Amino acid sequence: MNILLTGGLGYIGSHVAVVLTEAGHRVTILDNLCNCKVEVLSHLAKILGSSPIFIQGDVRDQVLLESVLKDGKIEAVMHFAGLKAVGESVQKPLMYYNNNVGGAISLLKAMKICQVKTFVFSSSATVYGVPKYLPIDEEHPTCPESPYGQTKLHIESILRDLANSDDAWNIIALRYFNPVGAHESGLIGEEPNDIPNNLVPYISHVATGKFDKLKIFGNDYKTLDGTGVRDYIHVMDLAEGHVAALNYLNKKLPKFSIINLGTGAGYSVLELVNLYEKVSSRKITYEISGRRAGDIASCFANVDKAAFLMGWRARRSLHEMLEDSWRWVSQNMTIEL
Ligand code: NAD
Ligand code: UFG
């Protein structure tokens, strides 16, 4: 199929581009480069033998989107383009609503005009808010705690309404848990522009020596060792989940589905620190600091729906996630090891 990936030069989109191309699809990427480097394209070419089609542009540019959909004979869209920093969304909510919700509306309008009605959306486990029970299934109530999370939930509502309005739409919103790791080549991976907020990118740069130490945000949670527990999923498993989603959409059964993508297992911050030391053979110095505002003790997914509907389950271990993360940062760092 001809598939458009918005935000396809970013962390998750670039890995999905690899898996889709390897599965025989023709990938077109549209990205405004606000949170990625254009060099990702040449790294994709090294992995794939040739580069996906790339258009530099913004999803809010409806006219451009219409021409991309028509010219590329696009049959399905995967929508990764969005801003994703929770803290920044609290400071700049309008920017988040404009980019994320505004971007989704422009894109969907262009798709409707061009009669392209197969859509996969990058949603987030953050829509669930504080867990009322674990593991979290898709029926769990939603209560996002940040403007970022609100944008995801608003877009899900728009998608549900759209699917109800017209049977020709086929839509899946994938709620990602915590994507980590990198392609096994070490050529593409997560590259935060600023100081990373997320655990694995931060640990990885304690390992490289870029940062002195990790601050562990609290060791007094009701978890195995007191530190926060999350459902980390290898970005390549996540990428394969998108191929499974596309195959499911092509059966044209439901008009709108929401599906968790996680492993179903939770690991603590200290477990990650210890395993990262093993895979990198480097010391991860840390200190225990206060809890981070808005953090929760534990969060992990019930992944039965993805297995039941799409025949997909994550298969890579935490060891592989951290090993691939380390390969990516150690191959691409500028500081001497
Ligand atoms: P990313 O920032 O690496 O990738 C997003 C890409 O979208 C970037 O390349 C950016 O340049 C592009 N972009 C942003 N706004 C755009 C616009 N208006 N027009 C065109 N391009 C635009 O982020 P990611 O980690 O790859 O996340 C992809 C999607 O998955 C996002 O929607 C994010 O909210 C969602 N998500 C990510 C995580 C995670 O932990 N990484 C978890 C849950 C959900
Ligand atoms: N942590 C630290 N030190 C750090 C960074 C994180 O101790 O420097 C801890 C956190 O307190 C938490 C765990 O590591 O216990 C994971 O934190 P992350 O920031 O990596 O991930 P979160 O689960 O907090 O949030 C992520 C994304 C959100 C998304 C959410 C649910 O950042 O955007 O997963 O999908 F909404």
Side-chain angles (χ1 to χ4, degrees):
M1 284 177 89
N2 293 330
I3 304 168
L4 174 65
L5 309 191
T6 72
L9 288 191
Y11 173 44
I12 298 170
S14 57
H15 290 80
V16 174
V18 169
V19 176
L20 283 174
T21 308
E22 286 173 346
H25 298 289
R26 181 168 162 274
V27 167
T28 299
I29 290 175
L30 177 125
D31 201 300
N32 69 0
L33 306 182
C34 73
N35 196 37
C36 64
K37 297 201 174 86
V38 75
E39 288 75 32
V40 172
L41 210 53
S42 55
H43 297 162
L44 285 174
K46 270 193 198 153
I47 295 170
L48 294 169
S50 67
S51 165
I53 302 158
F54 173 61
I55 294 129
Q56 184 173 344
D58 196 295
V59 277
R60 288 164 294 183
D61 184 344
Q62 194 187 322
V63 175
L64 172 68
L65 260 298
E66 285 173 32
S67 74
V68 171
L69 292 169
K70 278 186 203 137
D71 297 349
K73 298 188 170 49
I74 300 297
E75 295 156 283
V77 176
M78 296 195 179
H79 182 40
F80 303 96
L83 301 174
K84 62 167 183 176
V86 173
E88 186 185 50
S89 78
V90 176
Q91 303 303 319
K92 300 176 181 170
L94 288 177
M95 186 167 100
Y96 271 68
Y97 281 101
N98 180 349
N99 195 76
N100 293 4
V101 181
I105 292 173
S106 298
L107 171 61
L108 291 162
K109 278 162 79 179
M111 288 177 67
K112 186 171 155 60
I113 287 168
C114 298
Q115 295 292 311
V116 180
K117 294 187 174 176
T118 300
F119 191 72
V120 179
F121 173 58
S122 298
S123 191
S124 167
T126 199
V127 298
Y128 294 118
V130 180
K132 296 200 185 314
Y133 57 83
L134 290 167
I136 300 178
D137 59 23
E138 291 82 353
E139 303 306 314
H140 187 286
T142 50
C143 187
E145 301 223 310
S146 68
Y148 164 68
Q150 288 290 356
T151 67
K152 293 291 173 191
L153 198 56
H154 279 295
I155 296 166
E156 286 189 4
S157 302
I158 292 168
L159 295 174
R160 185 181 294 104
D161 291 343
L162 198 56
N164 282 337
S165 73
D166 172 359
D167 269 358
W169 284 98
N170 264 302
I171 300 173
I172 290 189
L174 296 172
R175 290 181 176 162
Y176 309 155
F177 279 68
N178 291 54
V180 298
H183 186 261
E184 63 267 16
S185 63
L187 288 166
I188 53 171
E190 187 171 13
E191 214 173 350
N193 280 343
D194 300 319
I195 296 173
N197 294 312
N198 296 119
L199 181 64
V200 171
Y202 203 99
I203 293 184
S204 67
H205 282 295
V206 175
T208 63
K210 185 171 168 186
F211 304 131
D212 293 343
K213 62 183 170 210
L214 169 75
K215 281 188 181 170
I216 295 185
F217 298 138
N219 67 347
D220 55 354
Y221 287 107
K222 281 187 185 151
T223 59
L224 200 70
D225 57 28
T227 64
V229 165
R230 296 291 183 276
D231 186 338
Y232 299 96
I233 173 169
H234 197 298
V235 66
M236 289 302 289
D237 276 329
L238 193 79
E240 287 164 10
H242 289 70
V243 178
L246 190 67
N247 293 340
Y248 181 62
L249 285 177
N250 282 336
K251 291 183 187 156
K252 306 216 182 295
L253 296 169
K255 297 302 154 200
F256 176 67
S257 312
I258 288 176
I259 298 181
N260 285 340
L261 290 188
T263 64
Y267 289 96
S268 75
V269 177
L270 278 173
E271 284 178 301
L272 264 77
V273 167
N274 292 334
L275 193 51
Y276 217 99
E277 286 191 335
K278 281 201 187 102
V279 302
S280 65
S281 305
R282 312 212 121 220
K283 175 100 191 102
I284 308 293
T285 307
Y286 67 83
E287 68 176 26
I288 306 294
S289 75
R291 290 182 177 192
R292 183 171 64 176
D295 264 356
I296 48 180
S298 295
C299 174
F300 47 93
N302 180 321
V303 290
D304 291 347
K305 191 171 176 186
F308 181 71
L309 291 183
M310 313 195 303
W312 171 90
R313 268 190 198 281
R315 54 194 176 91
R316 293 167 177 85
S317 65
L318 186 67
H319 191 276
E320 286 169 283
M321 299 180 212
L322 301 189
E323 207 171 46
D324 290 339
S325 155
W326 176 239
R327 185 178 307 105
W328 157 246
V329 289
S330 55
Q331 277 182 25
N332 293 283
M333 54 185 283
T334 43
I335 301 165
E336 287 292 308
L337 273 178

